[in-house]
Amino acid sequence: MRVITQQTLGGPEVLTIVDAPEPQPIPTEVLVRVKAIGLNPLEARLRAGEFPLIGRPPFILGWDISGVVEQASGTWRFRPGDEVFGMPLFPRTASAYAEVVSAPALHLARKPTSLSHVEASALPIVGLTAWQGLVDLGGVREGDRVLVHGGGGGVGHVAIQIAKALGAHVIATASGSKRKFVEGFGADEVIDYTAVDFTEAVRDIDVVLDTIGGDTVERSLDVLRPGGHLVTAVAEEDTKLAATYEAAGMRFSGIAVDPDPVALQGLVELVEQGRLRVHVQETFPFERVTDAHRLLDAGHLQGKLVLTV
């Protein structure tokens, strides 16, 4: 099989395609013939050495996959021929930039028939992050006021839809150029952060979901109602900021996404109900991974990028 690996840290040019032996699944794992691979900004940071999550090279990046089961070793969950998707092993190395991946069956779900492999591969990390942030940590309920920072990004556009499905009134921050995009996913209000200070535009927020970090997290304290909850996917280990929130009578939670079969099935149900879709900005063939990573490095994406295999 072919894999995309790197021997050194650096720019997109360090990514190379090489031949490698196929992995051998252990009991409870399945071997998946990959059809599409979802790309995430985290992977660009890992490639460049900005975030020491998986050690030093050589390594194979990637977690988000969609494909077809070829072998099912000691598991009743899937059979050969089943179409599946998921985010196996995160944050451990899943080596998903590959034509074949071995993954725990528990970390996968059957691909909804309404989603292509491209769309399904784009969903796991962003969908699980949004679900765990809003449902598991945020406890969003009907009638809550939810503020999503970065509504046009991968996590953000999915989070808007999940919050709406929970019955919340959803406000999202996004650049003016993304207003229609964000409104198309159900946001009740959109704040153009390039023209308006969100702290002056909203009040009495029950839950803030932050995907931006920096001073956005700090200033979000000013828009929460008493006892409100800030959930961040960026500054999850900022103990000083957590203490500031707690001293003000607010709740502060950091979300570090992990494989979650219950949440993954929840995403499947929303997709099947027609209440959740994922936007793919652009697809790239496997051989053009460096071009895809250049776009990742540039930032300001609408939704997700996907490699097709």
Side-chain angles (χ1 to χ4, degrees):
M1 70 168 185
R2 296 182 303 163
V3 302
I4 298 166
T5 187
Q6 62 184 91
Q7 299 299 314
T8 62
L9 301 172
E13 69 280 356
V14 303
L15 298 170
T16 58
I17 297 176
V18 301
D19 291 323
E22 290 190 2
Q24 297 300 311
I26 63 173
T28 74
E29 290 187 344
V30 295
L31 197 68
V32 179
R33 177 68 58 177
V34 177
K35 299 296 184 181
I37 304 161
L39 305 184
N40 297 280
L42 171 63
E43 290 145 28
R45 295 182 63 195
L46 293 172
R47 182 211 70 226
E50 297 174 3
F51 190 63
L53 182 66
I54 56 176
R56 303 285 299 179
F59 51 64
I60 301 170
L61 293 168
W63 287 276
D64 280 346
I65 59 168
S66 183
V68 180
V69 173
E70 284 200 343
Q71 296 179 35
S73 177
T75 177
W76 51 267
R77 296 179 184 277
F78 302 110
R79 295 180 179 179
D82 286 343
E83 295 186 323
V84 296
F85 79 113
M87 181 196 73
L89 296 172
F90 189 89
R92 289 181 290 145
T93 305
S95 300
Y97 284 16
E99 292 180 320
V100 180
V101 169
S102 184
L106 194 62
H107 294 177
L108 303 171
R110 283 181 171 78
K111 180 183 74 67
T113 56
S114 61
L115 291 185
S116 66
H117 282 295
V118 166
E119 293 166 324
S121 73
L123 182 56
I125 281 184
V126 297
L128 290 173
T129 300
W131 182 283
Q132 292 170 13
L134 294 172
V135 178
D136 298 332
L137 281 173
V140 173
R141 298 174 295 179
E142 185 172 358
D144 280 353
R145 288 169 55 80
V146 173
L147 174 62
V148 176
H149 285 307
V155 174
H157 84 289
V158 172
I160 290 168
Q161 297 170 80
I162 293 174
K164 289 299 295 180
L166 294 169
H169 178 90
V170 181
I171 306 161
T173 62
S175 63
S177 62
K178 292 184 179 180
R179 175 177 292 275
K180 289 186 178 180
F181 176 79
V182 172
E183 289 176 339
F185 289 100
D188 298 290
E189 302 176 45
V190 180
I191 299 171
D192 179 358
Y193 68 85
T194 66
V196 178
D197 183 345
F198 74 89
T199 64
E200 298 178 359
V202 291
R203 283 289 183 274
D204 298 323
I205 299 296
D206 294 283
V207 177
V208 174
L209 180 65
D210 165 60
T211 69
I212 304 298
D215 70 347
T216 297
V217 189
E218 299 173 14
R219 295 190 299 125
S220 292
L221 180 63
D222 296 332
V223 305
L224 286 169
R225 65 161 175 78
H229 196 166
L230 182 286
V231 181
T232 177
V234 182
E236 66 270 14
E237 295 183 358
D238 192 330
T239 55
K240 182 178 179 181
L241 192 56
T244 299
Y245 268 75
E246 292 167 5
M250 310 296 185
R251 290 177 291 167
F252 180 100
S253 298
I255 174 67
V257 66
D258 57 6
D260 183 343
V262 175
L264 194 59
Q265 189 57 41
L267 296 173
V268 169
E269 291 172 3
L270 288 182
V271 168
E272 291 176 337
Q273 294 166 8
R275 306 175 81 179
L276 176 62
R277 55 192 172 92
V278 61
H279 177 77
V280 177
Q281 176 176 315
E282 193 169 348
T283 63
F284 295 82
F286 195 75
E287 297 77 11
R288 289 184 57 204
V289 63
T290 56
D291 292 333
H293 264 248
R294 289 189 184 100
L295 198 52
L296 272 184
D297 284 350
H300 301 289
L301 300 175
Q302 287 191 169
K304 293 291 296 291
L305 303 179
V306 170
L307 291 182
T308 55
V309 183

